[in-house]
């Protein structure tokens, strides 16, 4: 039985990852800055394989809280895997981005991947090995993205950090990979559609159409598209993959 912690899993992609992993027989520890949202995710997980999925409040900016979650889960079940999914975005033209926004974006999207990754790896290494997946972005591979400069910086950082973690943690048996989604229909995208429509002086429908036309497979990405790739990376089918940044974007960006 694999026990996996997911951050920011009170909605969007994190909730889809929790659902996919529970369906595949993982015990899932759903964490989010909003405990009620985490509990709502747990309430809809399959209990076919595991009856006791957990919900915990975790603000990923708090390294001590991350360590507590890792230790608590390990003591109860043994911690096998950790998914750093929590992330934020705000669309603002580069010249108008305030220092406080840069600090907030980098702290949640990048520094927290670092500190949560440490918390997870310390515990998983003690057990003799496991897996970590970091959710990066298509915007971690190309900066040609409007009004998301701080986000782009954070996600390029996640891909580099993933490689550094994979390199150092290989010797303690931990595989570390990142996943790079494209235009995923989540609450984050709903907010971005409104911001981008306003910044381009157009409608949200027109922006959504832009995303569609930018995607050769001609549909918006679903959270489950990402979740299935995370499940693969956590599985033994990926046992010789580490340090990778797997694109899952319908062809919207090919590198
Ligand atoms: P959502 O905003 O829909 O969900 C993110 C979740 O993270 C929310 O439940 C949010 O809580 C939570 N969260 C925010 N801040 C913190 C924090 N400090 N500690 C813990 N949890 C927190 O985003 P998505 O599901 O779309 O995104 C998930 C990941 O995928 C992110 O890393 C994002 O950058 C990445 N991604 C998303 C893409 C997309 O198109 N949607 C594309 C590429 C990558 P609350 O709602 O209460 O703030």
């Amino acid at each position: 039985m694999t026990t996996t912690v997911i951050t920011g899993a009170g909605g969007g992609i994190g909730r889809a990852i929790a659902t996919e992993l529970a369906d595949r027989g993982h015990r899932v520890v759903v964490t989010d800055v909003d405990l009620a949202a985490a509990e709502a995710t747990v309430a809809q997980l399959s209990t076919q394989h595991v009856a006791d999925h957990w919900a915990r409040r975790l603000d990923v900016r708090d390294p001590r809280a991350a360590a507590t979650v890792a230790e608590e889960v390990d003591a109860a079940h043994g911690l096998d895997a950790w998914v750093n999914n929590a992330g934020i975005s705000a669309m603002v033209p580069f010249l108008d981005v305030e220092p406080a926004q840069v600090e907030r974006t980098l702290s949640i999207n990048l520094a927290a991947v670092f500190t949560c990754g440490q918390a997870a790896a310390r515990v998983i290494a003690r057990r003799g090995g496991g897996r970590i997946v970091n959710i990066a972005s298509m915007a971690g591979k190309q900066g040609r993205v409007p009004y998301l400069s701080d986000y782009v910086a954070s996600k390029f950082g996640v891909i580099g950090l993933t490689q550094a973690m994979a390199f150092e943690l290989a010797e303690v048996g931990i595989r570390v990979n990142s996943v790079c989604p494209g235009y995923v229909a989540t609450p984050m995208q709903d907010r971005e559609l409104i911001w981008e429509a306003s910044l381009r002086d157009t409608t949200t429908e027109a922006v959504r159409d832009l995303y569609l036309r930018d995607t050769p497979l001609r549909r918006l990405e679903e959270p489950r598209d990402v979740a299935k790739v995370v499940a693969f990376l956590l599985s033994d089918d990926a046992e010789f993959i580490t340090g990778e940044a797997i694109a899952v974007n319908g062809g919207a960006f090919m590198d």
Side-chain angles (χ1 to χ4, degrees):
M1 166 83 53
T2 300
T3 299
T4 303
V5 173
I6 309 164
T7 69
I13 292 170
R15 178 171 287 180
I17 295 169
T19 303
E20 190 68 27
L21 295 182
D23 287 348
R24 296 185 187 210
H26 289 234
R27 173 181 285 108
V28 178
V29 178
V30 175
T31 73
D32 198 278
V33 68
D34 176 351
L35 177 60
E39 287 171 341
T41 296
V42 166
Q44 64 183 52
L45 295 182
S46 161
T47 51
Q48 186 191 345
H49 306 282
V50 186
D52 58 339
H53 301 292
W54 288 10
R56 290 290 181 274
R57 181 179 188 276
L58 174 60
D59 183 333
V60 293
R61 288 168 293 185
D62 182 346
R64 272 195 299 188
T68 300
V69 169
E71 292 290 355
E72 186 194 6
V73 171
D74 194 53
H77 304 297
L79 175 62
D80 302 297
W82 184 289
V83 181
N84 284 309
N85 165 77
I88 57 163
S89 71
M91 295 185 105
V92 178
F94 171 68
L95 291 178
D96 299 330
V97 179
E98 297 284 350
Q101 179 180 320
V102 177
E103 200 278 331
R104 181 171 154 74
T105 303
L106 292 178
S107 71
I108 294 175
N109 291 11
L110 179 57
V113 174
F114 201 109
T115 52
C116 288
Q118 287 176 314
R122 285 183 183 123
V123 170
I124 296 172
R126 223 165 49 205
R127 291 174 52 75
R131 290 132 280 165
I132 295 174
V133 170
N134 300 325
I135 305 302
S137 172
M138 174 163 81
K141 293 189 169 199
Q142 59 156 354
R144 194 176 162 278
V145 179
Y147 316 128
L148 281 169
S149 51
D150 52 328
Y151 182 87
V152 166
S154 71
K155 295 298 186 178
F156 266 73
V158 170
I159 292 177
L161 173 61
T162 300
Q163 293 184 5
M165 289 169 69
F167 184 58
E168 285 198 37
L169 295 174
E171 69 182 36
V172 290
I174 303 178
R175 294 192 291 104
V176 188
N177 290 289
S178 55
V179 175
C180 301
Y183 300 110
V184 193
T186 67
M188 178 183 279
Q189 183 180 80
D190 293 341
R191 292 187 293 270
E192 289 182 355
L193 284 168
I194 293 166
W195 284 321
E196 192 162 351
S198 157
L199 286 159
R200 287 183 188 276
D201 197 19
T202 181
T203 62
T204 54
E205 291 71 27
V207 177
R208 187 180 285 109
D209 194 49
L210 209 73
Y211 294 173
L212 271 174
R213 277 188 281 120
D214 206 28
T215 305
L217 288 182
R218 283 292 177 271
R219 66 167 171 83
L220 284 184
E221 188 166 345
E222 292 296 330
R224 186 161 181 242
D225 294 313
V226 184
K228 286 189 285 189
V229 177
V230 172
F232 160 70
L233 288 170
L234 293 178
S235 78
D236 286 345
D237 287 342
E239 69 182 334
F240 209 55
I241 300 179
T242 200
E244 272 301 325
I246 309 283
V248 46
N249 60 31
F253 177 69
M254 305 179 190
D255 63 338

